[in-house]
Amino acid sequence: MQRDLAAMSATEYDLVIVGGGITGASTAWDASLRGLKVALLEKDDFAHATTSGSSKLVHGGLRYLVNGELKLVRESLRERRIWENVAPHMVHPLPFVIPTYGWGMKGPIVLGLGLTLYDLLSFDRNWLSDDDKKLPGFRRLSKGKALDLVPSLKREGLTGAMVYYDCQMFAPERLCLECIEGAVECGADVANYAEVTGFTTEAAMGRGVKVTGVNVADEVTGAMHTIRGKVVVNAAGPWADKTMAMADETPARRLIRSKGIHIITRDLSGDHALAIQSAIGGHFFVIPWRGYTIIGTTDTVFEDDPDELGVTEKDIEDFLAVVNDGLPGLHLTREDVIHFYAGIRPLVDTTPQEVPDADGESAKEAEKDSYNASRAAEVYDHAPEEAIDGLISAIGGKWTTSRHLAEQVVDLALKKLGRTAKCETQCTPVYGGDMARLKTYVARAQKRHSYLAPDIVENLVNFYGSRIDEVLATADEKPGEREALLKRIAPGNPVIGVQVVHAVRHEMALHLDDVIFRRTGLGTLGNPGSSVVKQVAELMGRELGWDETALANEMSGTLRLFETIPGR
């Protein structure tokens, strides 16, 4: 991928996409596969916000059954299977344990009925070519076996547990990037650090205006550009309403922003994830991930600017109280927290708008509830209600259903363009996903690259899938680089230097945190240490021409991201 906003400003696109998270990435991938000329613009780095701040799950949404959202559950379960098929190196089965208490709503009978329905709705879950990806139906555990598996469970009233299956992602930020790389391979042009500051419009026939493109500020050079497109898609996630407001100061659709924090700690549950209910804070997950455990997530309305998102010490303290209430045997303390991160869920606000009172707040605004708000998405055409033609907003939704949301967006865009083409993302491997059986592919790759340690090759397959040879080829691009770039960044860590250089030369990494967090995963399990951060910075600095001041600024900025923010 090469970044060239000047060239993009000289091109007219069928589709201009605002937002480089998974919704925008999936839309670019889908539209490019269908033959549209696509531009994608992201104001920060690709996948920098909600996409990477998730629980790493691809799941059907078992708890949505309680709200009667069978359509959303069925959609999610179908999409879970599709992600397993098209991204076999990224999406893997994960067994969940849910304890049962008493014989009422939290007991085995009610939960068993819910899981029976969940399995029925996922009737196609094993339509997969890789047997390792197939998901068994749920099963019940006795009280004794439940405690053997999870000794930290509350014992009072415990009647046993249920085991069911969902999936998790190895690296959501990489999967998002692979959708973007797939779009680029099909002819799309993309740019990160390119902030859309407004829309260009012209008078429409009849009434209103037609959006003809976007104004873009290049965060790297400071230059301004205009990118023209026949249809513009707002896929800005938590910023979607702010993007809509550029076209209409009082947009017809609003968002509820929900803040979710996660903590990472030592291995607590082995190969099983836990779904736990706390009396003081709703449900949370305990999820095994790369030899550690992710615990998440909170779900609180976030009314500040999404650019100001962070984790406070109070956030961690409050969440630990919830976790220790749900799993009293853990006795987790602040010292157990190795890392933490936050994300914002953009939820469609379905509450009726009311005229604000004297304090500027309506009764409905005060009653916002992010936990019980639907995770369903909306594809909104601004032409009928607001007389703004050529603008589509993709609002809300969840990681699992992002591909299907993109399909609906592109269907509408094609209709506006007067063209037809079938969606192919449900049966096309993502960039790096072209392999039959993952275990077989890993074994063959380790044999083919026997000059590298097996854990290095396995990590390369996890991150790049079937494209690992392209990454390793970067080590041969300049004379004398190969030996140095094939070395580990740090002892015991499978990441090697060529991944850093490849990220700069071919994956549009412009800042140190792009590589530490979103290209290599070096920082996703916590601070890898100043020496590792410095080594990565020096590799990037040689590629990007950083002087000592730039190098120091990049390092200090990245290291700050491992710290909590001041409480408000």
Side-chain angles (χ1 to χ4, degrees):
M1 299 193 300
Q2 299 300 322
R3 184 179 183 278
D4 193 340
L5 283 167
M8 292 174 72
S9 66
T11 305
E12 182 167 356
Y13 295 93
D14 296 313
L15 209 62
V16 174
I17 300 166
V18 182
I22 188 56
T23 300
S26 294
T27 302
W29 181 40
D30 186 331
S32 299
L33 280 172
R34 297 204 223 184
L36 297 183
K37 184 61 178 173
V38 174
L40 181 145
L41 302 159
E42 164 56 50
K43 77 185 189 71
D44 203 284
D45 188 28
F46 307 121
H48 81 284
T50 300
T51 296
S52 58
S54 74
S55 300
K56 326 296 184 191
L57 296 177
V58 175
H59 66 107
L62 178 61
R63 78 176 179 91
Y64 307 150
L65 289 177
V66 178
N67 300 333
E69 295 185 278
L70 269 66
K71 183 178 179 182
L72 176 59
V73 174
R74 171 58 200 148
E75 176 193 15
S76 301
L77 290 167
R78 182 192 67 237
E79 293 301 305
R80 181 186 70 183
R81 171 183 56 80
I82 290 173
W83 281 118
E84 280 191 279
N85 260 327
V86 301
H89 59 306
M90 278 286 173
V91 181
H92 311 290
L94 180 65
F96 277 80
V97 176
I98 306 181
T100 58
Y101 290 91
W103 299 94
M105 291 301 293
K106 297 180 181 179
I109 296 174
V110 173
L111 185 55
L113 289 172
L115 287 169
T116 297
L117 178 57
Y118 198 64
D119 281 351
L120 287 172
L121 290 171
S122 63
F123 61 87
D124 56 350
R125 65 183 180 273
N126 291 329
W127 295 1
L128 301 160
S129 58
D130 186 343
D131 288 343
D132 295 329
K133 301 289 184 181
K134 293 182 178 180
L135 308 180
F138 82 93
R139 70 182 191 275
R140 182 180 174 183
L141 299 178
S142 67
K143 177 180 177 179
K145 288 186 177 178
L147 287 170
D148 286 343
L149 196 60
V150 190
S152 56
L153 289 176
K154 276 185 178 177
R155 298 182 178 231
E156 184 181 353
L158 182 70
T159 51
M162 298 291 187
V163 178
Y164 76 99
Y165 284 77
D166 260 316
C167 291
Q168 77 174 158
M169 292 172 278
F170 182 82
E173 59 280 354
R174 289 277 343 165
L175 183 49
C176 175
L177 186 66
E178 288 179 350
C179 291
I180 293 172
E181 289 177 307
V184 170
E185 191 171 51
C186 290
D189 296 321
V190 304
N192 55 359
Y193 297 100
E195 183 174 5
V196 171
T197 58
F199 297 106
T200 59
T201 61
E202 62 183 30
M205 294 182 62
R207 69 188 185 103
V209 298
K210 176 174 173 52
V211 172
T212 59
V214 295
N215 296 318
V216 183
D218 187 339
E219 298 294 309
V220 177
T221 66
M224 294 296 301
H225 300 277
T226 297
I227 310 295
R228 294 172 295 143
K230 297 171 185 174
V231 175
V232 174
V233 173
N234 168 19
W239 292 267
D241 54 350
K242 294 179 177 291
T243 303
M244 284 187 276
M246 294 179 188
D248 187 331
E249 292 183 0
T250 56
R253 293 297 184 273
R254 297 177 302 160
L255 292 180
I256 299 174
R257 294 180 183 85
S258 167
K259 176 180 177 178
I261 76 158
H262 298 77
I263 59 177
I264 294 179
T265 185
R266 64 185 184 278
D267 179 10
L268 296 175
S269 61
D271 295 331
H272 288 74
L274 312 176
I276 303 296
Q277 188 75 24
S278 165
I280 64 173
H283 85 284
F284 61 90
F285 294 128
V286 179
I287 306 166
W289 193 61
R290 301 192 198 170
Y292 293 81
T293 294
I294 296 173
I295 307 178
T297 172
T298 60
D299 198 331
T300 55
V301 173
F302 184 76
E303 296 184 334
D304 294 337
D305 189 319
D307 287 313
E308 302 301 318
L309 179 69
V311 179
T312 67
E313 287 296 329
K314 188 175 187 306
D315 287 335
I316 296 174
E317 178 186 341
D318 291 348
F319 190 42
L320 284 174
V322 171
V323 174
N324 286 323
D325 175 72
L327 288 170
L330 289 181
H331 305 294
L332 289 181
T333 68
R334 179 64 177 87
E335 287 67 39
D336 293 310
V337 179
I338 298 168
H339 187 44
F340 46 82
Y341 62 92
I344 296 179
R345 306 172 192 85
L347 309 175
V348 179
D349 188 354
T350 57
T351 57
Q353 294 190 32
E354 292 189 358
V355 178
D357 59 21
D359 295 323
E361 183 183 75
S362 72
K364 291 294 182 183
E365 286 292 325
E367 295 171 4
K368 283 182 178 179
D369 178 1
S370 61
Y371 182 80
N372 291 306
S374 175
R375 268 52 177 173
E378 180 180 1
V379 177
Y380 180 59
D381 183 351
H382 290 257
E385 289 186 49
E386 299 171 302
I388 302 172
D389 195 15
L391 178 61
I392 299 169
S393 287
I395 317 166
K398 52 200 285 277
W399 224 114
T400 305
T401 55
S402 56
R403 186 214 64 85
H404 187 228
L405 174 59
E407 180 179 344
Q408 298 169 71
V409 170
V410 179
D411 284 346
L412 178 57
L414 284 167
K415 183 178 179 181
K416 285 183 166 294
L417 293 168
R419 295 167 62 173
T420 59
K422 289 185 178 180
C423 177
E424 297 180 7
T425 52
Q426 79 280 6
C427 57
T428 303
V430 299
Y431 192 91
D434 191 8
M435 61 181 68
R437 186 169 181 258
L438 177 60
K439 283 185 178 178
T440 302
Y441 188 88
V442 170
R444 290 176 177 173
Q446 288 170 333
K447 186 175 181 179
R448 190 168 71 251
H449 299 290
S450 57
Y451 55 90
L452 294 172
D455 67 316
I456 290 176
V457 178
E458 183 175 8
N459 187 64
L460 288 169
V461 174
N462 285 332
F463 272 94
Y464 308 99
S466 58
R467 304 289 184 146
I468 66 167
D469 290 348
E470 296 175 16
V471 179
L472 291 170
T474 302
D476 296 319
E477 288 178 349
K478 293 181 180 178
E481 284 190 332
R482 182 177 176 80
E483 184 177 350
L485 292 184
L486 296 182
K487 291 181 179 178
R488 298 177 189 266
I489 293 290
N493 193 304
V495 176
I496 56 177
V498 71
Q499 293 176 251
V500 177
V501 174
H502 183 82
V504 175
R505 294 181 189 172
H506 303 292
E507 294 182 338
M508 221 172 282
L510 299 177
H511 293 286
L512 182 57
D513 62 295
D514 298 345
V515 170
I516 293 289
F517 288 101
R518 291 173 294 278
R519 301 298 188 278
T520 67
L522 275 167
T524 53
L525 289 169
N527 191 335
S530 297
S531 62
V532 172
V533 172
K534 183 179 181 182
Q535 187 175 346
V536 174
E538 288 173 345
L539 279 170
M540 290 188 71
R542 286 197 287 271
E543 295 292 318
L544 295 169
W546 293 343
D547 58 21
E548 288 299 319
T549 300
L551 194 75
N553 288 339
E554 290 286 341
M555 285 186 61
S556 62
T558 297
L559 289 170
R560 276 197 302 271
L561 297 175
F562 294 104
E563 302 172 359
T564 53
I565 63 171
R568 293 184 177 84

